[in-house]
């Protein structure tokens, strides 16, 4: 996370991001993982984590068919090896296994991540100017995307239906 923010990625934090703040943020995610509201996947290079992605499940009864891709990060030293695409695929597969049929995400317009999502079959919803600040504090446009998984879009879910969140 520290490296990704230092590299200019707009993932919700300003640069410089202090290690203690990053640790607090990650520790704050533990309850969401334990409660099944968030699934996290990582890529390791030896004992070092070089990439991660989160899959946040909707908690409302009428939204249990969808999830959101959050915080897809790859260390700058590990880029160019297909890890971002592998993490995105792993999150999509986890969502499908959990019963989600619709995924959403957003990213800084013009970022390398935007290119990844487009080339991975995601559909642009639109762009919101000045939606989020980059690590330097400058407001940037954000592009929103969706992707349907398998079948089921446009069908009704029963009250007891919906995803069983994927394990971490």
């Amino acid at each position: 996370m520290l490296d990704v923010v230092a590299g200019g990625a707009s993932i919700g934090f300003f640069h410089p991001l202090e290690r203690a703040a990053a640790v607090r943020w990650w520790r704050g995610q533990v309850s969401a993982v334990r409660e099944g509201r968030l699934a996290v996947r990582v890529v390791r290079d030896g004992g070092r984590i070089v990439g991660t992605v989160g899959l946040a499940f909707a908690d409302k009864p009428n939204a249990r068919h969808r999830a959101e891709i959050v915080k897809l990060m790859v260390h700058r030293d590990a880029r160019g090896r297909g890890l971002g695409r592998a993490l995105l695929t792993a999150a999509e597969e986890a969502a499908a296994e959990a019963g989600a049929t619709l995924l959403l995400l957003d990213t800084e317009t013009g970022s390398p991540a935007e290119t990844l999502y487009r080339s991975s079959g995601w559909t642009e919803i639109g762009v919101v100017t000045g939606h989020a600040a980059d690590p330097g504090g400058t407001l940037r446009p954000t592009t929103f995307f969706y992707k349907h998984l398998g079948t089921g879009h446009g069908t009704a879910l029963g009250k007891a239906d919906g995803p069983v969140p994927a394990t971490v």
Side-chain angles (χ1 to χ4, degrees), residues 38-150:
L38 177 68
V40 177
R41 299 291 187 263
V42 300
V43 173
R44 295 180 186 270
D45 185 2
R48 181 176 156 225
I49 293 175
V50 295
T52 183
V53 65
L55 180 63
F57 293 96
D59 61 352
K60 296 175 184 69
N62 73 338
R64 292 194 179 128
H65 64 288
R66 69 179 187 240
E68 182 179 0
I69 302 291
V70 294
K71 303 281 187 277
L72 174 58
M73 300 179 268
V74 176
H75 194 285
R76 288 178 287 178
D77 292 346
R79 291 184 185 161
R81 300 190 293 185
L83 300 180
R85 188 171 306 278
L87 284 163
L88 183 60
T89 299
E92 291 173 2
E93 290 171 354
E97 289 170 12
T101 57
L102 175 65
L103 292 178
L104 303 164
L105 63 79
D106 66 81
T107 191
E108 183 178 331
T109 304
S111 68
E114 183 179 20
T115 302
L116 169 64
Y117 302 136
R118 288 184 192 287
S119 68
S120 297
W122 287 73
T123 302
E124 180 181 326
I125 298 169
V127 175
V128 177
T129 304
H131 181 264
D134 67 14
T138 302
L139 290 177
R140 302 281 186 195
T142 298
T143 304
F144 290 81
F145 290 91
Y146 74 91
K147 187 173 189 178
H148 286 286
L149 303 177

